[in-house]
Amino acid sequence: MVDALRSAKVVALGGGHGLAASLSALRLVCDQVTAIVTVADNGGSSGRLRTDYGVLPPGDLRMALTALCDDSEWGQTWSDVLQHRFTGEGEMSGHALGNLLIVALWQLHEDPVSGLDLVGRLLSTRGRVLPMAAVPLDLVAEVSGLDPADPAAITTVRGQVEVAGTTGLVESISLVPANPPVRPEAVEAVEEADHIILGPGSWYTSVLTHLLVPELRDALTRASARKVLTLNLEMHTAETRGFSATQHLETLHAMAPELRFDTVLADPSTIEEHDRLERACITLGAELAVAPLARLDRAGEHDALRLAAAYRDILS
């Protein structure tokens, strides 16, 4: 079983630190991992490069590449180089070197996927990294609770950074453009996958965004692969303030009611009402799997070895 898992085709979807945690675990048990990464980031180095050059935001793509890099001295050295962030007061301050390298390759090769594949070869990655869509996206949220005089009033908040940091309650999200073109490589990877992992990650800005790309959502719904939804270690973030684990599942089901999962993976610390969460899992067609996933020395961060063990048990 372990050998079969090692050669299985696995697709992981998400963005930011959550996807990086999932990839760091998956590369320990699988050799063919494809990451499909959100491209709605509008902040920091990625936001600046996106504005200046009209490119996909490279930051989450860079993080996914470094998470999949080989454990050799070569892979780890180049991973550190790509993650290096310039300091100081000059124009380079705040830029990650890997972001600049990716944008340079895009200018030389035009096709974003070819550029990402070249970085993957440099890092000796165990897998491939693909953008969720072929164009940069803007995340738009309808948010309540921002007007003290009228807490029920709905305010439109635009931008991934702005949505992630809102002090209100996210009622719904959408993308601009509303029907973005998907990368055919991403759809093909989903269709050919043996296993698909969604999450962990910022729920609205990294995880659910994939379900707003119609072709990608339809491919996920049709896929015959075993599907695993990995819940976050921290339920109460700015964008999911007051949410329980069950409410996370309910928002996903409301957005993609046809999408079914086989397993929902959760750390025991996140479960408030076990029976209610199990019922929400059944609504998704899934069984609940509970396993310790957190680092002992850093609350709120996944432990790569624990997460890898959980994935191995579920996928085998």
Side-chain angles (χ1 to χ4, degrees), residues 42-85:
N42 67 324
S45 172
S46 286
R48 290 162 59 189
L49 291 168
R50 171 180 173 170
T51 299
D52 291 344
Y53 298 102
V55 295
L56 298 172
D60 285 359
L61 296 162
R62 181 200 81 247
M63 289 181 65
L65 284 162
T66 55
L68 285 174
C69 81
D70 187 74
D71 284 327
S72 66
E73 181 182 359
W74 176 273
Q76 291 300 314
T77 297
W78 278 104
S79 173
D80 291 343
V81 170
L82 263 67
Q83 292 286 54
H84 174 74
R85 197 173 293 273

mmCIF file of all heavy atoms in Angstrom, residues 42-85:
data_model
loop_
_atom_site.group_PDB
_atom_site.id
_atom_site.type_symbol
_atom_site.label_atom_id
_atom_site.label_comp_id
_atom_site.label_asym_id
_atom_site.label_seq_id
_atom_site.Cartn_x
_atom_site.Cartn_y
_atom_site.Cartn_z
ATOM 1 N N ASN A 42 -2.952 40.241 -3.495
ATOM 2 C CA ASN A 42 -2.723 41.621 -3.946
ATOM 3 C C ASN A 42 -1.864 42.409 -2.972
ATOM 4 O O ASN A 42 -1.808 43.636 -3.038
ATOM 5 C CB ASN A 42 -4.062 42.347 -4.149
ATOM 6 C CG ASN A 42 -4.813 42.558 -2.831
ATOM 7 O OD1 ASN A 42 -4.759 41.699 -1.945
ATOM 8 N ND2 ASN A 42 -5.517 43.674 -2.700
ATOM 9 N N GLY A 43 -1.173 41.719 -2.077
ATOM 10 C CA GLY A 43 -0.388 42.415 -1.062
ATOM 11 C C GLY A 43 1.095 42.132 -1.161
ATOM 12 O O GLY A 43 1.537 41.213 -1.852
ATOM 13 N N GLY A 44 1.891 42.926 -0.452
ATOM 14 C CA GLY A 44 3.323 42.707 -0.329
ATOM 15 C C GLY A 44 4.049 42.700 -1.652
ATOM 16 O O GLY A 44 3.689 43.390 -2.613
ATOM 17 N N SER A 45 5.101 41.887 -1.719
ATOM 18 C CA SER A 45 5.913 41.773 -2.923
ATOM 19 C C SER A 45 5.077 41.315 -4.106
ATOM 20 O O SER A 45 5.197 41.850 -5.220
ATOM 21 C CB SER A 45 7.060 40.788 -2.673
ATOM 22 O OG SER A 45 7.773 40.503 -3.860
ATOM 23 N N SER A 46 4.204 40.325 -3.897
ATOM 24 C CA SER A 46 3.365 39.814 -4.981
ATOM 25 C C SER A 46 2.467 40.897 -5.547
ATOM 26 O O SER A 46 2.310 41.028 -6.768
ATOM 27 C CB SER A 46 2.505 38.650 -4.478
ATOM 28 O OG SER A 46 3.276 37.490 -4.302
ATOM 29 N N GLY A 47 1.865 41.687 -4.660
ATOM 30 C CA GLY A 47 0.987 42.749 -5.117
ATOM 31 C C GLY A 47 1.723 43.807 -5.914
ATOM 32 O O GLY A 47 1.215 44.322 -6.920
ATOM 33 N N ARG A 48 2.931 44.134 -5.480
ATOM 34 C CA ARG A 48 3.725 45.138 -6.201
ATOM 35 C C ARG A 48 4.095 44.646 -7.595
ATOM 36 O O ARG A 48 3.976 45.382 -8.583
ATOM 37 C CB ARG A 48 4.975 45.468 -5.387
ATOM 38 C CG ARG A 48 4.695 46.245 -4.115
ATOM 39 C CD ARG A 48 5.858 46.173 -3.130
ATOM 40 N NE ARG A 48 7.104 46.708 -3.694
ATOM 41 C CZ ARG A 48 8.294 46.585 -3.090
ATOM 42 N NH1 ARG A 48 8.384 45.914 -1.930
ATOM 43 N NH2 ARG A 48 9.369 47.113 -3.643
ATOM 44 N N LEU A 49 4.535 43.395 -7.689
ATOM 45 C CA LEU A 49 4.925 42.847 -8.994
ATOM 46 C C LEU A 49 3.713 42.685 -9.902
ATOM 47 O O LEU A 49 3.789 42.926 -11.114
ATOM 48 C CB LEU A 49 5.635 41.504 -8.797
ATOM 49 C CG LEU A 49 7.003 41.597 -8.132
ATOM 50 C CD1 LEU A 49 7.502 40.214 -7.720
ATOM 51 C CD2 LEU A 49 8.014 42.262 -9.062
ATOM 52 N N ARG A 50 2.612 42.315 -9.320
ATOM 53 C CA ARG A 50 1.375 42.186 -10.093
ATOM 54 C C ARG A 50 0.968 43.532 -10.677
ATOM 55 O O ARG A 50 0.600 43.631 -11.856
ATOM 56 C CB ARG A 50 0.284 41.629 -9.181
ATOM 57 C CG ARG A 50 -1.101 41.636 -9.757
ATOM 58 C CD ARG A 50 -2.106 41.060 -8.772
ATOM 59 N NE ARG A 50 -3.452 41.230 -9.261
ATOM 60 C CZ ARG A 50 -4.519 40.668 -8.725
ATOM 61 N NH1 ARG A 50 -4.392 39.885 -7.660
ATOM 62 N NH2 ARG A 50 -5.720 40.873 -9.230
ATOM 63 N N THR A 51 1.049 44.575 -9.875
ATOM 64 C CA THR A 51 0.678 45.916 -10.332
ATOM 65 C C THR A 51 1.667 46.442 -11.376
ATOM 66 O O THR A 51 1.276 47.021 -12.394
ATOM 67 C CB THR A 51 0.615 46.884 -9.140
ATOM 68 O OG1 THR A 51 -0.384 46.427 -8.222
ATOM 69 C CG2 THR A 51 0.276 48.291 -9.596
ATOM 70 N N ASP A 52 2.951 46.237 -11.128
ATOM 71 C CA ASP A 52 3.977 46.796 -12.011
ATOM 72 C C ASP A 52 4.055 46.094 -13.363
ATOM 73 O O ASP A 52 4.338 46.731 -14.387
ATOM 74 C CB ASP A 52 5.348 46.730 -11.330
ATOM 75 C CG ASP A 52 5.458 47.680 -10.145
ATOM 76 O OD1 ASP A 52 4.619 48.588 -10.042
ATOM 77 O OD2 ASP A 52 6.383 47.497 -9.327
ATOM 78 N N TYR A 53 3.817 44.768 -13.370
ATOM 79 C CA TYR A 53 4.065 44.000 -14.593
ATOM 80 C C TYR A 53 2.836 43.273 -15.136
ATOM 81 O O TYR A 53 2.920 42.614 -16.175
ATOM 82 C CB TYR A 53 5.199 42.993 -14.357
ATOM 83 C CG TYR A 53 6.507 43.658 -14.004
ATOM 84 C CD1 TYR A 53 6.959 43.698 -12.691
ATOM 85 C CD2 TYR A 53 7.280 44.272 -14.989
ATOM 86 C CE1 TYR A 53 8.154 44.316 -12.355
ATOM 87 C CE2 TYR A 53 8.479 44.892 -14.664
ATOM 88 C CZ TYR A 53 8.906 44.911 -13.351
ATOM 89 O OH TYR A 53 10.086 45.538 -13.030
ATOM 90 N N GLY A 54 1.717 43.355 -14.442
ATOM 91 C CA GLY A 54 0.508 42.701 -14.927
ATOM 92 C C GLY A 54 0.573 41.186 -14.915
ATOM 93 O O GLY A 54 -0.112 40.522 -15.686
ATOM 94 N N VAL A 55 1.399 40.621 -14.019
ATOM 95 C CA VAL A 55 1.604 39.176 -13.975
ATOM 96 C C VAL A 55 0.752 38.547 -12.872
ATOM 97 O O VAL A 55 0.168 39.240 -12.035
ATOM 98 C CB VAL A 55 3.089 38.840 -13.717
ATOM 99 C CG1 VAL A 55 3.950 39.308 -14.873
ATOM 100 C CG2 VAL A 55 3.562 39.465 -12.395
ATOM 101 N N LEU A 56 0.696 37.224 -12.882
ATOM 102 C CA LEU A 56 0.104 36.502 -11.763
ATOM 103 C C LEU A 56 0.914 36.810 -10.503
ATOM 104 O O LEU A 56 2.139 36.930 -10.564
ATOM 105 C CB LEU A 56 0.135 34.997 -12.021
ATOM 106 C CG LEU A 56 -0.650 34.461 -13.219
ATOM 107 C CD1 LEU A 56 -0.334 32.983 -13.416
ATOM 108 C CD2 LEU A 56 -2.133 34.668 -13.034
ATOM 109 N N PRO A 57 0.272 36.932 -9.348
ATOM 110 C CA PRO A 57 1.044 37.145 -8.115
ATOM 111 C C PRO A 57 1.901 35.910 -7.816
ATOM 112 O O PRO A 57 1.376 34.806 -7.689
ATOM 113 C CB PRO A 57 -0.041 37.348 -7.050
ATOM 114 C CG PRO A 57 -1.278 36.722 -7.622
ATOM 115 C CD PRO A 57 -1.179 36.883 -9.106
ATOM 116 N N PRO A 58 3.216 36.064 -7.719
ATOM 117 C CA PRO A 58 4.096 34.890 -7.643
ATOM 118 C C PRO A 58 4.308 34.319 -6.246
ATOM 119 O O PRO A 58 4.842 33.214 -6.108
ATOM 120 C CB PRO A 58 5.417 35.421 -8.200
ATOM 121 C CG PRO A 58 5.419 36.870 -7.824
ATOM 122 C CD PRO A 58 3.980 37.317 -7.912
ATOM 123 N N GLY A 59 3.923 35.038 -5.191
ATOM 124 C CA GLY A 59 4.314 34.646 -3.840
ATOM 125 C C GLY A 59 3.838 33.269 -3.411
ATOM 126 O O GLY A 59 4.624 32.449 -2.917
ATOM 127 N N ASP A 60 2.553 32.978 -3.565
ATOM 128 C CA ASP A 60 2.031 31.671 -3.158
ATOM 129 C C ASP A 60 2.591 30.557 -4.030
ATOM 130 O O ASP A 60 2.801 29.429 -3.573
ATOM 131 C CB ASP A 60 0.506 31.668 -3.220
ATOM 132 C CG ASP A 60 -0.124 32.443 -2.061
ATOM 133 O OD1 ASP A 60 0.628 32.950 -1.216
ATOM 134 O OD2 ASP A 60 -1.367 32.537 -2.016
ATOM 135 N N LEU A 61 2.839 30.863 -5.298
ATOM 136 C CA LEU A 61 3.456 29.882 -6.198
ATOM 137 C C LEU A 61 4.877 29.572 -5.735
ATOM 138 O O LEU A 61 5.308 28.412 -5.733
ATOM 139 C CB LEU A 61 3.467 30.430 -7.624
ATOM 140 C CG LEU A 61 2.088 30.663 -8.255
ATOM 141 C CD1 LEU A 61 2.198 31.604 -9.453
ATOM 142 C CD2 LEU A 61 1.446 29.349 -8.661
ATOM 143 N N ARG A 62 5.610 30.607 -5.317
ATOM 144 C CA ARG A 62 6.971 30.418 -4.796
ATOM 145 C C ARG A 62 6.967 29.550 -3.550
ATOM 146 O O ARG A 62 7.779 28.624 -3.409
ATOM 147 C CB ARG A 62 7.590 31.773 -4.463
ATOM 148 C CG ARG A 62 9.022 31.705 -3.942
ATOM 149 C CD ARG A 62 9.413 32.961 -3.193
ATOM 150 N NE ARG A 62 8.927 32.972 -1.826
ATOM 151 C CZ ARG A 62 8.007 33.812 -1.354
ATOM 152 N NH1 ARG A 62 7.455 34.728 -2.121
ATOM 153 N NH2 ARG A 62 7.627 33.752 -0.087
ATOM 154 N N MET A 63 6.032 29.818 -2.647
ATOM 155 C CA MET A 63 5.962 29.041 -1.409
ATOM 156 C C MET A 63 5.662 27.577 -1.691
ATOM 157 O O MET A 63 6.194 26.678 -1.033
ATOM 158 C CB MET A 63 4.902 29.639 -0.483
ATOM 159 C CG MET A 63 5.291 30.976 0.129
ATOM 160 S SD MET A 63 4.022 31.612 1.244
ATOM 161 C CE MET A 63 4.047 30.370 2.522
ATOM 162 N N ALA A 64 4.792 27.324 -2.664
ATOM 163 C CA ALA A 64 4.475 25.942 -3.014
ATOM 164 C C ALA A 64 5.688 25.231 -3.599
ATOM 165 O O ALA A 64 5.958 24.069 -3.279
ATOM 166 C CB ALA A 64 3.312 25.918 -4.004
ATOM 167 N N LEU A 65 6.439 25.925 -4.444
ATOM 168 C CA LEU A 65 7.643 25.331 -5.030
ATOM 169 C C LEU A 65 8.668 24.978 -3.958
ATOM 170 O O LEU A 65 9.254 23.884 -3.967
ATOM 171 C CB LEU A 65 8.255 26.298 -6.047
ATOM 172 C CG LEU A 65 7.536 26.393 -7.393
ATOM 173 C CD1 LEU A 65 7.941 27.672 -8.123
ATOM 174 C CD2 LEU A 65 7.852 25.165 -8.253
ATOM 175 N N THR A 66 8.905 25.876 -3.032
ATOM 176 C CA THR A 66 9.906 25.605 -2.000
ATOM 177 C C THR A 66 9.435 24.514 -1.041
ATOM 178 O O THR A 66 10.251 23.772 -0.498
ATOM 179 C CB THR A 66 10.248 26.887 -1.204
ATOM 180 O OG1 THR A 66 9.052 27.460 -0.661
ATOM 181 C CG2 THR A 66 10.915 27.914 -2.110
ATOM 182 N N ALA A 67 8.112 24.395 -0.848
ATOM 183 C CA ALA A 67 7.596 23.327 0.019
ATOM 184 C C ALA A 67 7.807 21.955 -0.603
ATOM 185 O O ALA A 67 7.916 20.952 0.111
ATOM 186 C CB ALA A 67 6.113 23.553 0.293
ATOM 187 N N LEU A 68 7.867 21.899 -1.933
ATOM 188 C CA LEU A 68 8.045 20.623 -2.624
ATOM 189 C C LEU A 68 9.505 20.313 -2.933
ATOM 190 O O LEU A 68 9.789 19.273 -3.527
ATOM 191 C CB LEU A 68 7.260 20.632 -3.940
ATOM 192 C CG LEU A 68 5.744 20.475 -3.851
ATOM 193 C CD1 LEU A 68 5.108 20.665 -5.217
ATOM 194 C CD2 LEU A 68 5.366 19.115 -3.269
ATOM 195 N N CYS A 69 10.424 21.195 -2.539
ATOM 196 C CA CYS A 69 11.812 21.015 -2.962
ATOM 197 C C CYS A 69 12.431 19.777 -2.325
ATOM 198 O O CYS A 69 12.015 19.317 -1.261
ATOM 199 C CB CYS A 69 12.647 22.251 -2.642
ATOM 200 S SG CYS A 69 13.217 22.351 -0.951
ATOM 201 N N ASP A 70 13.440 19.256 -3.007
ATOM 202 C CA ASP A 70 14.143 18.054 -2.569
ATOM 203 C C ASP A 70 14.902 18.320 -1.259
ATOM 204 O O ASP A 70 15.313 19.443 -0.972
ATOM 205 C CB ASP A 70 15.121 17.631 -3.664
ATOM 206 C CG ASP A 70 15.765 16.305 -3.375
ATOM 207 O OD1 ASP A 70 15.083 15.279 -3.511
ATOM 208 O OD2 ASP A 70 16.958 16.300 -2.999
ATOM 209 N N ASP A 71 15.090 17.253 -0.468
ATOM 210 C CA ASP A 71 15.788 17.387 0.815
ATOM 211 C C ASP A 71 17.305 17.427 0.676
ATOM 212 O O ASP A 71 18.012 17.539 1.675
ATOM 213 C CB ASP A 71 15.412 16.224 1.737
ATOM 214 C CG ASP A 71 14.026 16.399 2.334
ATOM 215 O OD1 ASP A 71 13.626 17.552 2.578
ATOM 216 O OD2 ASP A 71 13.340 15.389 2.548
ATOM 217 N N SER A 72 17.808 17.325 -0.537
ATOM 218 C CA SER A 72 19.248 17.356 -0.731
ATOM 219 C C SER A 72 19.809 18.739 -0.394
ATOM 220 O O SER A 72 19.070 19.716 -0.281
ATOM 221 C CB SER A 72 19.583 17.023 -2.187
ATOM 222 O OG SER A 72 19.090 18.042 -3.055
ATOM 223 N N GLU A 73 21.125 18.811 -0.263
ATOM 224 C CA GLU A 73 21.766 20.097 0.001
ATOM 225 C C GLU A 73 21.457 21.093 -1.115
ATOM 226 O O GLU A 73 21.212 22.280 -0.862
ATOM 227 C CB GLU A 73 23.278 19.914 0.136
ATOM 228 C CG GLU A 73 24.022 21.213 0.430
ATOM 229 C CD GLU A 73 25.530 21.023 0.502
ATOM 230 O OE1 GLU A 73 25.981 19.878 0.343
ATOM 231 O OE2 GLU A 73 26.245 22.025 0.700
ATOM 232 N N TRP A 74 21.454 20.607 -2.359
ATOM 233 C CA TRP A 74 21.133 21.466 -3.505
ATOM 234 C C TRP A 74 19.721 22.039 -3.372
ATOM 235 O O TRP A 74 19.520 23.248 -3.489
ATOM 236 C CB TRP A 74 21.258 20.654 -4.799
ATOM 237 C CG TRP A 74 20.857 21.402 -6.039
ATOM 238 C CD1 TRP A 74 19.596 21.505 -6.563
ATOM 239 C CD2 TRP A 74 21.705 22.171 -6.886
ATOM 240 N NE1 TRP A 74 19.607 22.280 -7.696
ATOM 241 C CE2 TRP A 74 20.891 22.707 -7.919
ATOM 242 C CE3 TRP A 74 23.075 22.457 -6.897
ATOM 243 C CZ2 TRP A 74 21.404 23.499 -8.942
ATOM 244 C CZ3 TRP A 74 23.581 23.252 -7.915
ATOM 245 C CH2 TRP A 74 22.755 23.764 -8.921
ATOM 246 N N GLY A 75 18.750 21.162 -3.132
ATOM 247 C CA GLY A 75 17.367 21.616 -3.042
ATOM 248 C C GLY A 75 17.154 22.591 -1.908
ATOM 249 O O GLY A 75 16.496 23.626 -2.072
ATOM 250 N N GLN A 76 17.698 22.283 -0.738
ATOM 251 C CA GLN A 76 17.493 23.141 0.421
ATOM 252 C C GLN A 76 18.209 24.478 0.263
ATOM 253 O O GLN A 76 17.702 25.514 0.699
ATOM 254 C CB GLN A 76 17.970 22.426 1.686
ATOM 255 C CG GLN A 76 17.108 21.239 2.086
ATOM 256 C CD GLN A 76 15.676 21.646 2.366
ATOM 257 O OE1 GLN A 76 15.408 22.623 3.053
ATOM 258 N NE2 GLN A 76 14.743 20.896 1.799
ATOM 259 N N THR A 77 19.385 24.468 -0.371
ATOM 260 C CA THR A 77 20.102 25.721 -0.589
ATOM 261 C C THR A 77 19.305 26.645 -1.491
ATOM 262 O O THR A 77 19.117 27.830 -1.196
ATOM 263 C CB THR A 77 21.487 25.451 -1.206
ATOM 264 O OG1 THR A 77 22.266 24.684 -0.285
ATOM 265 C CG2 THR A 77 22.199 26.755 -1.519
ATOM 266 N N TRP A 78 18.814 26.101 -2.611
ATOM 267 C CA TRP A 78 18.058 26.938 -3.528
ATOM 268 C C TRP A 78 16.699 27.331 -2.961
ATOM 269 O O TRP A 78 16.173 28.403 -3.263
ATOM 270 C CB TRP A 78 17.909 26.236 -4.881
ATOM 271 C CG TRP A 78 19.131 26.429 -5.711
ATOM 272 C CD1 TRP A 78 20.111 25.519 -5.964
ATOM 273 C CD2 TRP A 78 19.528 27.641 -6.360
ATOM 274 N NE1 TRP A 78 21.105 26.082 -6.740
ATOM 275 C CE2 TRP A 78 20.766 27.382 -7.000
ATOM 276 C CE3 TRP A 78 18.969 28.905 -6.470
ATOM 277 C CZ2 TRP A 78 21.441 28.355 -7.740
ATOM 278 C CZ3 TRP A 78 19.634 29.874 -7.209
ATOM 279 C CH2 TRP A 78 20.857 29.595 -7.834
ATOM 280 N N SER A 79 16.147 26.503 -2.117
ATOM 281 C CA SER A 79 14.912 26.878 -1.431
ATOM 282 C C SER A 79 15.144 28.102 -0.548
ATOM 283 O O SER A 79 14.350 29.052 -0.553
ATOM 284 C CB SER A 79 14.406 25.711 -0.572
ATOM 285 O OG SER A 79 13.305 26.106 0.220
ATOM 286 N N ASP A 80 16.251 28.094 0.205
ATOM 287 C CA ASP A 80 16.584 29.243 1.048
ATOM 288 C C ASP A 80 16.814 30.496 0.203
ATOM 289 O O ASP A 80 16.425 31.608 0.589
ATOM 290 C CB ASP A 80 17.835 28.941 1.883
ATOM 291 C CG ASP A 80 17.593 27.888 2.950
ATOM 292 O OD1 ASP A 80 16.418 27.632 3.272
ATOM 293 O OD2 ASP A 80 18.576 27.312 3.447
ATOM 294 N N VAL A 81 17.461 30.323 -0.958
ATOM 295 C CA VAL A 81 17.719 31.465 -1.832
ATOM 296 C C VAL A 81 16.401 32.059 -2.321
ATOM 297 O O VAL A 81 16.196 33.277 -2.298
ATOM 298 C CB VAL A 81 18.608 31.044 -3.026
ATOM 299 C CG1 VAL A 81 18.671 32.156 -4.065
ATOM 300 C CG2 VAL A 81 20.010 30.692 -2.551
ATOM 301 N N LEU A 82 15.482 31.221 -2.765
ATOM 302 C CA LEU A 82 14.202 31.721 -3.277
ATOM 303 C C LEU A 82 13.366 32.370 -2.182
ATOM 304 O O LEU A 82 12.608 33.309 -2.438
ATOM 305 C CB LEU A 82 13.416 30.590 -3.937
ATOM 306 C CG LEU A 82 13.557 30.528 -5.468
ATOM 307 C CD1 LEU A 82 14.982 30.157 -5.869
ATOM 308 C CD2 LEU A 82 12.563 29.538 -6.065
ATOM 309 N N GLN A 83 13.505 31.900 -0.962
ATOM 310 C CA GLN A 83 12.723 32.458 0.138
ATOM 311 C C GLN A 83 13.349 33.731 0.708
ATOM 312 O O GLN A 83 12.695 34.444 1.474
ATOM 313 C CB GLN A 83 12.589 31.422 1.265
ATOM 314 C CG GLN A 83 11.739 30.218 0.904
ATOM 315 C CD GLN A 83 10.264 30.527 0.872
ATOM 316 O OE1 GLN A 83 9.803 31.447 0.199
ATOM 317 N NE2 GLN A 83 9.480 29.764 1.620
ATOM 318 N N HIS A 84 14.596 34.014 0.324
ATOM 319 C CA HIS A 84 15.274 35.204 0.861
ATOM 320 C C HIS A 84 14.499 36.472 0.506
ATOM 321 O O HIS A 84 14.110 36.688 -0.636
ATOM 322 C CB HIS A 84 16.697 35.312 0.307
ATOM 323 C CG HIS A 84 17.388 36.584 0.709
ATOM 324 N ND1 HIS A 84 17.870 36.806 1.977
ATOM 325 C CD2 HIS A 84 17.641 37.720 -0.004
ATOM 326 C CE1 HIS A 84 18.404 38.011 2.033
ATOM 327 N NE2 HIS A 84 18.284 38.589 0.851
ATOM 328 N N ARG A 85 14.304 37.315 1.517
ATOM 329 C CA ARG A 85 13.571 38.564 1.313
ATOM 330 C C ARG A 85 14.513 39.739 1.593
ATOM 331 O O ARG A 85 15.151 39.798 2.641
ATOM 332 C CB ARG A 85 12.342 38.627 2.222
ATOM 333 C CG ARG A 85 11.322 39.677 1.802
ATOM 334 C CD ARG A 85 10.057 39.568 2.630
ATOM 335 N NE ARG A 85 9.330 38.337 2.378
ATOM 336 C CZ ARG A 85 8.429 38.183 1.404
ATOM 337 N NH1 ARG A 85 8.169 39.190 0.590
ATOM 338 N NH2 ARG A 85 7.792 37.038 1.260
#
